[in-house]
Amino acid sequence: MPHAIAIFNLTVNDRDAEDFEIFDLVDELEKAEGKGVNFYSWMNVPPTATASQISRAYRKLSLQLHPDKNVNDAHAKERFARLGKIAAILRNPTTRERYNFFYKNGVPRWRGTGYYYARFRPGLGTVLVFLVLLTAVMQLIAKRINYHQEKKRILNFIQDARAAMAYKVPKGHGAPTLGRSYIDVGHRTLQCEVKSDTYLIVYPDGDEDPVHLNIEWVQKPTVTDVYLIQWPLAIVRKVLGIKPKEFKVEESEEEDVDEKDETTEPEGETQSKKKKKKKTEAVNVTGTKVGGRRRAVKK
């Protein structure tokens, strides 16, 4: 059985090689002699011509197309060599049968991957360039997918935090949309604060810095974010000693400020009052993930 399969594969491969040669000659002949010219019409013989008729036609045409008689024709050698190949195909019963099939039914437009690979076989450099470009495109696609997933993740956190606030509200009271709440991250329940429809601050346990998640800060990947461009830029920055920018995010917090009222009241007593005022402070969040992006704040 394996022997029969090997013979079948060999026969198919030989047949493919014969067909590929016929395809090439058909294309070359029409390109050189004109559209619609076929093997028989070029040799001036009918499709029913015998082998002896084809041989006589070949000898006659070879005398006309010989390069020595066409010294001023730059394509004389090509035409003469093409004539020899066509005559050999028509003299051989097997290859002539294959040509007659395509002569009657037409040459297929799609000639198989083997044909195109054999004719346009890329070199090692072309293959490497293709692989580099392909991996860069795949990386960009992966980054775009992560971009949309990151925005969706932040939006889900905000929705969960608002749902937790609504759960705690007594009946008859409107559920708040902004303020302190909590979210479940894995096996941990973390405090958070909903700042807007797109902005959430998560307060981890311990002394860790708060994590700022903002949909608007998620950076949409572009072509310049792929490794094909980032690696050369990183090398240039390292050579020139350029440090990456430090990103900061603005955070507003309330501080209790004790102020003594210097105004003396009628009773002569001095009262202390706590007044709240908002103070804007630039909080350094370098190294902290901020919705996939960190926003720079001008000092």
Side-chain angles (χ1 to χ4, degrees), residues 249-268:
V249 61
E250 289 183 352
E251 180 182 284
S252 296
E253 61 178 14
E254 293 183 352
E255 292 186 351
D256 292 336
V257 180
D258 293 338
E259 293 184 356
K260 290 185 178 181
D261 190 358
E262 297 179 354
T263 305
T264 305
E265 296 191 358
E267 292 86 359

Side-chain angles (χ1 to χ4, degrees), residues 28-49:
E28 293 174 6
L29 185 62
E30 289 191 347
K31 185 177 180 180
E33 307 299 333
K35 189 72 174 177
V37 178
N38 57 66
F39 292 3
Y40 295 114
S41 63
W42 191 47
M43 295 189 67
N44 197 22
V45 294
T48 57

Side-chain angles (χ1 to χ4, degrees), residues 83-299:
L83 174 63
K85 294 178 181 178
I86 291 176
I89 289 175
L90 296 181
R91 286 171 180 171
N92 187 314
T94 303
T95 54
R96 183 176 181 179
E97 181 183 0
R98 292 300 299 166
Y99 173 73
N100 287 339
F101 174 81
F102 297 119
Y103 172 73
K104 295 177 181 178
N105 299 283
V107 176
R109 293 185 178 181
W110 174 253
R111 301 172 184 180
T113 55
Y115 173 83
Y116 294 106
Y117 179 77
R119 269 64 186 166
F120 310 103
R121 183 177 301 174
L124 178 60
T126 304
V127 173
L128 292 177
V129 170
F130 172 76
L131 291 177
V132 169
L133 293 177
L134 179 62
T135 53
V137 171
M138 296 300 294
Q139 184 189 24
L140 180 59
I141 293 174
K143 283 180 174 290
R144 288 290 179 89
I145 294 174
N146 291 335
Y147 162 75
H148 291 289
Q149 289 180 343
E150 180 71 7
K151 293 181 66 175
K152 185 177 180 180
R153 184 176 69 92
I154 297 174
L155 183 60
N156 290 338
F157 280 155
I158 294 175
Q159 292 175 349
D160 292 344
R162 285 180 169 172
M165 286 191 287
Y167 178 76
K168 291 183 176 181
V169 173
K171 293 183 179 180
H173 293 74
T177 58
L178 304 178
R180 297 272 179 167
S181 183
Y182 65 88
I183 55 174
D184 293 327
V185 180
H187 300 289
R188 302 168 61 189
T189 299
L190 303 178
Q191 291 185 352
C192 65
E193 183 177 1
V194 181
K195 307 293 287 185
S196 68
D197 292 339
T198 60
Y199 185 17
L200 177 74
I201 302 177
V202 181
Y203 300 96
D205 299 332
D207 298 331
E208 299 179 26
D209 293 333
V211 180
H212 300 258
L213 302 176
N214 194 325
I215 294 177
E216 297 177 356
W217 298 349
V218 181
Q219 184 178 6
K220 186 175 183 179
T222 61
V223 177
T224 57
D225 294 324
V226 300
Y227 77 95
L228 193 60
I229 297 178
Q230 286 297 316
W231 286 1
L233 289 178
I235 295 174
V236 172
R237 293 193 191 101
K238 187 173 182 180
V239 172
L240 299 179
I242 302 175
K243 296 182 179 180
K245 294 181 179 179
E246 185 177 277
F247 293 92
K248 296 181 179 180
V249 61
E250 289 183 352
E251 180 182 284
S252 296
E253 61 178 14
E254 293 183 352
E255 292 186 351
D256 292 336
V257 180
D258 293 338
E259 293 184 356
K260 290 185 178 181
D261 190 358
E262 297 179 354
T263 305
T264 305
E265 296 191 358
E267 292 86 359
E269 297 179 356
T270 303
Q271 298 180 350
S272 297
K273 298 181 180 180
K274 290 185 178 181
K275 297 181 180 180
K276 292 183 179 180
K277 68 175 182 178
K278 288 189 176 181
K279 181 180 179 182
T280 301
E281 179 183 354
V283 180
N284 189 347
V285 292
T286 303
T288 303
K289 189 171 184 181
V290 187
R293 184 181 181 185
R294 301 174 182 85
R295 186 176 63 177
V297 176
K298 296 181 180 179
K299 292 184 178 180

